Amino acid sequence: MNKTELIEHIAKHADISKAAATRALEAVIGGVKTTLKKGGTVSLVGFGTFAVGKRAKRTGRNPRTGEAITIKAAKVPKFRPGKGLKDALN
């Protein structure tokens, strides 16, 4: 499912227009991004938790030349599924 299909799904099941569904989805995504940018977490009970993880600086290889390169430390988004989501899949 891509973003357009998700918007259509939201519009159909919430009985709202596609424009309203688009705004709602964008607001949710924006809220998650803003919270993660500030270092917080977003917990949706029954669905899961979005959080920020830290990836340490490490050494990698250039696939073309085989030369060793340094990959700098980075913050990465992480998602941990909740019990409700896990149960729905099994």
Side-chain angles (χ1 to χ4, degrees), residues 5-29:
E5 293 168 341
L6 182 56
I7 289 169
E8 289 173 6
H9 180 81
I10 293 168
K12 180 180 173 187
H13 286 78
D15 197 27
I16 58 176
S17 69
K18 284 186 183 178
T22 301
R23 288 191 303 273
L25 182 60
E26 291 294 335
V28 170
I29 292 170

Side-chain angles (χ1 to χ4, degrees), residues 43-89:
S43 296
L44 302 172
V45 176
F47 184 71
T49 303
F50 295 92
V52 178
K54 292 186 169 99
R55 185 179 294 156
K57 182 174 91 170
R58 63 193 194 281
T59 301
R61 296 239 172 246
N62 181 330
R64 287 190 183 155
T65 63
E67 171 189 2
I69 57 172
T70 301
I71 302 169
K72 63 183 181 178
K75 293 179 185 175
V76 293
K78 295 193 175 205
F79 177 75
R80 192 174 68 235
K83 183 176 181 342
L85 181 58
K86 288 179 189 176
D87 291 346
L89 297 176

Side-chain angles (χ1 to χ4, degrees), residues 25-41:
L25 182 60
E26 291 294 335
V28 170
I29 292 170
V32 171
K33 281 183 187 178
T34 301
T35 302
L36 293 180
K37 223 175 200 184
K38 292 178 182 176
T41 62

